[in-house]
Amino acid sequence: MSKTGDETRARILKACSDLLQQGPDAQARMSDIARAAGVSRQAVYLHFPNRAELLIAATRFIDEASGVDGRLAASRAATSGTARLDAYIQAWGDYIPVIHGVGRALMAMAETDEAARAAWDDRMAAMRHGCAAAVEALARDKALQPGLTEPRATDLLWTLLSVRNWEHLVSDCGWSQADYVAGMQRVARAALVAGPPG
């Protein structure tokens, strides 16, 4: 792709992510995105053949712009399963406020919009992959709760760290971000790690 094509693609992704961050009432149709990016609808379709691909690319664009790989570095470099679990919860927990506007918009649209559902499912699949990696590290250390399989442990962690749970605790119950992360680390250790939580 030419430099001009790359720049146009980046403008489209930025416009889409900006619209989504306006919240659940945002209009993120192809025509709205084209208008916000200052390009034609045809230009949008040239780069993204359908809206689902565009919304998925926009969430990944936000990840890249927000330095998600850097946020996950401590988790990926952890030398024990428990350290990886704690670091992953810290990284994801602190990332939720960054993507909350987009997440809220996609979750609200997902009930009636297949493209939005595909984009949010893609984002949650990536988050689940991180949960599975933390659980795998616990299992490798033989630190997983007896009787708890890796798939079940991944299910538990993925559910525990859902954006909806963050909303309930931080927005509805008034927890600070630090209290949320520390609380999730304690609960995850109690649920997943063999022996007394440290």
Side-chain angles (χ1 to χ4, degrees), residues 60-105:
R60 292 177 182 176
F61 174 82
I62 293 166
D63 286 346
E64 189 175 323
S66 302
V68 75
D69 283 335
R71 292 171 183 271
L72 291 169
S75 173
R76 291 171 176 162
T79 57
S80 75
T82 305
R84 182 157 194 165
L85 176 67
D86 283 347
Y88 183 72
I89 292 170
Q90 179 83 54
W92 171 249
D94 286 344
Y95 192 51
I96 294 174
V98 174
I99 61 154
H100 184 242
V102 171
R104 223 170 34 143

Side-chain angles (χ1 to χ4, degrees), residues 28-35 41 44-45 48 50-51 54:
R29 298 170 301 208
M30 294 297 246
S31 56
D32 301 312
I33 295 161
R35 190 176 315 109
R41 281 183 63 201
V44 175
Y45 281 108
F48 303 98
N50 59 61
R51 193 161 158 272
L54 172 54

